[in-house]
Structures are given as structure tokens and as C-alpha cells.
């Protein structure tokens, strides 16, 4: 699952929201790292709705008709699975980073072969 989908499910754990609120909550949750646009949010929400991960209700907010999205139990389960997968990927990336740093340190500690003393 891509990060934008992951974070959309994440913020819907806070409660039902309309699309604009979802986008702002994702931006806030990620510290601005992920700022989904309407062109990203709404296709994902339609996909989640057709997959049974969210429900949609029409609501009047400030005099305007809005679609409000809420996470279903299937959506909560999908988020848990995605969270576990991203945690495993994060651990693997951290291990890779540590191995890369150790290899760099070892390479830097080796004497360079170009200086010969005879």
C-alpha cells in the first residue's frame, strides 16, 4: 500500500471527515511531508469505498453538501495490515542504513593502497 493510501486510512481513525479535512489531516500528521491534492484524495476514497474500507454519507456543512467518509471495520483491518508491513519495511531500511554506514566507516578506516613506502 502506498504512503498516501496508508495516511488516508490513518487519519480516518480519528473519525469521519470530508475530503478537504482528510487532506489537511494527512499533511498535519506527516509534518507536511505528504500533502495530497484533491486529484489524489478522491480517487483513493472512491477505491476505498468500492473495496468496503470506508462508507460515505452526505452531510450539509456550512450550507454546502459534502461527502463525509468514515472508516469501516474492514478499513481498520486493512490499516493494521498496512501498518505492520510499513513497520517491517522501516526496520529493513534502518538495518540497511546501519550496514551502509558501517561499510563506509570500514572503507574509510582502511589504508589507501596508493601511498607506498619503500
Amino acid at each position: 500500500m502506498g504512503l498516501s493510501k496508508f495516511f488516508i486510512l490513518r487519519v480516518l481513525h480519528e473519525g469521519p471527515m470530508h475530503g478537504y479535512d482528510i487532506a489537511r489531516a494527512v499533511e498535519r500528521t506527516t509534518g507536511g511531508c505528504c500533502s495530497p491534492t484533491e486529484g489524489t484524495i478522491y480517487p483513493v476514497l472512491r477505491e476505498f469505498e468500492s473495496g468496503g474500507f470506508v462508507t460515505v454519507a452526505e452531510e450539509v456543512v456550512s450550507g454546502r453538501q459534502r461527502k463525509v467518509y468514515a472508516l469501516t471495520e474492514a478499513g481498520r483491518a486493512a490499516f493494521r495490515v498496512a501498518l505492520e508491513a510499513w513497520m517491517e519495511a522501516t526496520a529493513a531500511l534502518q538495518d540497511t542504513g546501519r550496514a551502509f554506514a558501517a561499510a563506509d566507516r570500514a572503507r574509510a578506516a582502511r589504508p589507501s593502497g596508493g601511498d607506498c613506502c619503500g
Side-chain angles (χ1 to χ4, degrees), residues 10-12 15-16 19 25 32 37 41 43-45 51-52 55 62 64 70 85 89-91 98 101 105-106 109:
R10 160 51 185 97
V11 300
L12 283 171
T37 63
I41 292 276
V44 169
L45 290 170
T55 58
S62 301
R64 296 176 57 195
T90 299
R98 284 189 286 274
R105 285 190 301 275

Side-chain angles (χ1 to χ4, degrees), residues 21-34:
D21 286 342
I22 293 169
R24 298 299 65 82
V26 167
E27 188 172 14
R28 194 174 49 253
T29 298
T30 63
C33 180
C34 183

Side-chain angles (χ1 to χ4, degrees), residues 20-113:
Y20 179 81
D21 286 342
I22 293 169
R24 298 299 65 82
V26 167
E27 188 172 14
R28 194 174 49 253
T29 298
T30 63
C33 180
C34 183
S35 297
T37 63
E38 288 182 16
T40 302
I41 292 276
Y42 291 106
V44 169
L45 290 170
R46 282 192 294 276
E47 178 186 332
F48 284 170
E49 181 184 11
S50 68
F53 301 123
V54 300
T55 58
V56 182
E58 297 277 334
E59 206 175 89
V60 177
V61 179
S62 301
R64 296 176 57 195
Q65 190 77 9
R66 302 242 180 174
K67 288 184 177 181
V68 177
Y69 300 87
L71 210 53
T72 63
E73 282 306 313
R76 291 180 192 286
F79 177 72
R80 281 190 289 277
V81 168
L83 179 59
E84 287 178 26
W86 277 109
M87 295 300 286
E88 288 175 15
T90 299
L93 285 170
Q94 289 173 332
D95 290 345
T96 300
R98 284 189 286 274
F100 183 75
D104 271 359
R105 285 190 301 275
R107 192 174 314 113
R110 283 194 305 255
S112 63

